[in-house]
Amino acid sequence: MARIAIDMDNVMADLTSHMIHLYEQKHGVRVSMESLNGHPDGGGFPIEGETHAFIREAGFFRDLPVMPDSQEVIKALMEKHEVFIVSAATEFPLSLKEKIDWLEEHFPYISWKNIVLCGSKTIVDADYMIDDHDKNLRYFKGERLLFTAPHNIYLTDYKRVNSWKEVAEYFQLTPAMV
Amino acid sequence: MARIAIDMDNVMADLTSHMIHLYEQKHGVRVSMESLNGHPDGGGFPIEGETHAFIREAGFFRDLPVMPDSQEVIKALMEKHEVFIVSAATEFPLSLKEKIDWLEEHFPYISWKNIVLCGSKTIVDADYMIDDHDKNLRYFKGERLLFTAPHNIYLTDYKRVNSWKEVAEYFQLTPAMV
């Protein structure tokens, strides 16, 4: 049994799709996922800085859509491994309860004991980390898996997983388990 | 430079004194700190279970008094070491924002990057842990410091610190620093 630390935003929760949706609602312009490639997280929209306002609004983190296949794959991972959800959240105090409520709704099989809301992830001790950010993976001592997001598309420093199906393959979960 | 993980409740925040105060407000009975010795955390009051209701009320964690000398000693520790505040908080979602707001008021020099709100502390990687609970210290691989609280008064498994002045001595902080 290994301990796996899993990030929330852009890994379990589809933050980028939600930003595109909110941007379209507000400005009537549908930005493509591809056009965000290589921009910093939350960047690449016609009006720069707009998405920074979104994430500070009440309800933003509560309403995020679930990343495809994450529910099934995480449930299957938990049968073989110790899973911790590790989210950099203390920068946005409003997000804290929203993230717990979101997890309770979409991942009710994850205990509060296995949730970590933090700032820097340098304090995390685990065997694997699944994250979309270089800054989180960089100081991690275990195996690092970069979950693909537009902002990290050109990063080549880590083993990359493009979807939860690929995470399932990496951990050799059989189709019957997922 | 070492990394020090510091607990909040009954270490930085004087939870027990606040429970005694709330109990007196509600029932007109002033319970002594000593009479709680050896009881489980929150236990030992005439009406058992009452304190479990207190900690679920909005505002409870926001209003806690600061443990004597903790502000000065932690500030001094931060000059020589990397300090992380690590609080088991995800069981009580209402407490999350209250804890951040409390830290911002009483410890404004601690960055959001160095705050960890979690469940199980087994995931914490640090050199020292200052905590009042056996369950948190038990699986910690670094140096363990048991901060005295009524519920742990008879525990003999750890190096004990009875006050923040003793923490300052342990880390060899000079009076000028504190």
Side-chain angles (χ1 to χ4, degrees):
Chain A
M1 192 180 75
R3 181 185 292 160
I4 307 169
I6 302 176
D7 180 35
M8 287 180 76
D9 297 333
N10 274 332
V11 176
M12 296 171 73
D14 193 349
L15 193 116
T16 308
S17 290
H18 196 54
M19 281 181 173
I20 290 172
H21 167 71
L22 292 178
Y23 195 91
E24 183 179 18
Q25 269 196 330
K26 190 163 178 185
H27 299 290
V29 177
R30 178 95 192 157
V31 172
S32 74
M33 191 74 91
E34 292 68 33
S35 70
L36 306 177
N37 283 349
H39 289 274
D41 197 7
F45 289 81
I47 304 174
E48 283 288 342
E50 186 76 356
T51 57
H52 293 94
F54 290 163
I55 63 174
R56 282 176 170 77
E57 278 170 24
F60 177 81
F61 290 96
R62 185 64 187 87
D63 295 339
L64 295 178
V66 176
M67 199 67 88
D69 305 317
S70 59
Q71 290 158 308
E72 298 78 6
V73 175
I74 288 174
K75 194 170 187 184
L77 278 176
M78 287 172 65
E79 289 176 22
K80 291 177 72 178
H81 301 289
E82 185 186 24
V83 168
F84 273 84
I85 310 308
V86 181
S87 178
T90 50
E91 186 177 6
F92 307 109
L94 271 182
S95 76
L96 298 166
K97 185 170 182 302
E98 294 185 9
K99 282 178 180 246
I100 298 282
D101 291 345
W102 186 90
L103 284 169
E104 198 165 88
E105 179 186 348
H106 301 293
F107 295 84
Y109 36 87
I110 296 173
S111 161
W112 61 266
K113 292 182 183 171
N114 292 54
I115 300 172
V116 182
L117 303 174
C118 61
S120 161
K121 295 190 182 179
T122 55
I123 198 164
V124 172
D125 178 22
D127 303 301
Y128 296 87
M129 179 177 276
I130 308 174
D131 207 291
D132 65 315
H133 273 288
D134 179 42
K135 66 182 175 193
N136 294 330
L137 294 171
R138 183 162 298 276
Y139 302 99
F140 183 65
K141 293 167 197 149
E143 289 293 318
R144 310 149 176 194
L145 297 179
L146 180 71
F147 201 94
T148 295
H151 70 82
N152 69 33
I153 208 93
Y154 301 123
L155 194 62
T156 55
D157 301 14
Y158 306 104
K159 159 78 184 159
R160 182 181 288 278
V161 281
N162 292 297
S163 67
W164 277 96
K165 289 222 185 294
E166 287 191 20
V167 174
E169 282 166 27
Y170 179 86
F171 285 99
Q172 300 181 297
L173 303 180
T174 59
M177 296 179 69
V178 178
Chain B
M1 192 180 77
R3 181 184 293 160
I4 307 170
I6 301 175
D7 181 34
M8 288 179 76
D9 298 333
N10 275 331
V11 176
M12 298 171 72
D14 193 351
L15 193 116
T16 308
S17 290
H18 197 52
M19 280 181 174
I20 290 172
H21 168 71
L22 292 178
Y23 195 91
E24 183 179 19
Q25 269 196 331
K26 191 163 178 185
H27 299 290
V29 177
R30 178 94 190 156
V31 172
S32 74
M33 192 74 90
E34 291 69 33
S35 69
L36 305 178
N37 283 349
H39 289 274
D41 197 6
F45 289 80
I47 303 174
E48 284 287 343
E50 185 77 356
T51 58
H52 292 95
F54 290 163
I55 62 174
R56 283 177 169 77
E57 277 171 25
F60 177 82
F61 290 96
R62 185 64 187 87
D63 294 338
L64 294 178
V66 177
M67 200 66 88
D69 305 316
S70 59
Q71 290 158 309
E72 300 77 6
V73 175
I74 288 174
K75 195 171 186 182
L77 278 176
M78 287 171 65
E79 288 174 24
K80 292 177 72 177
H81 301 289
E82 185 187 23
V83 168
F84 273 85
I85 310 307
V86 181
S87 177
T90 50
E91 186 178 6
F92 307 109
L94 270 182
S95 78
L96 299 165
K97 184 169 184 303
E98 293 186 9
K99 282 178 179 245
I100 298 283
D101 292 344
W102 187 91
L103 284 168
E104 198 164 87
E105 180 186 347
H106 301 293
F107 296 83
Y109 36 87
I110 295 174
S111 160
W112 60 266
K113 290 181 184 171
N114 292 54
I115 300 172
V116 181
L117 304 174
C118 60
S120 162
K121 295 190 182 179
T122 54
I123 197 164
V124 172
D125 178 22
D127 302 303
Y128 297 87
M129 178 177 278
I130 308 174
D131 207 291
D132 65 315
H133 273 288
D134 178 42
K135 67 182 174 192
N136 294 328
L137 295 170
R138 183 162 297 277
Y139 301 99
F140 183 65
K141 293 167 197 150
E143 289 293 318
R144 310 150 176 192
L145 296 178
L146 180 72
F147 200 94
T148 294
H151 70 82
N152 68 33
I153 208 93
Y154 301 123
L155 193 62
T156 56
D157 301 13
Y158 307 105
K159 160 76 184 159
R160 181 183 289 278
V161 281
N162 292 298
S163 67
W164 277 97
K165 289 222 186 294
E166 288 191 17
V167 174
E169 283 166 26
Y170 180 87
F171 286 101
Q172 299 182 299
L173 304 180
T174 60
M177 295 179 68
V178 178

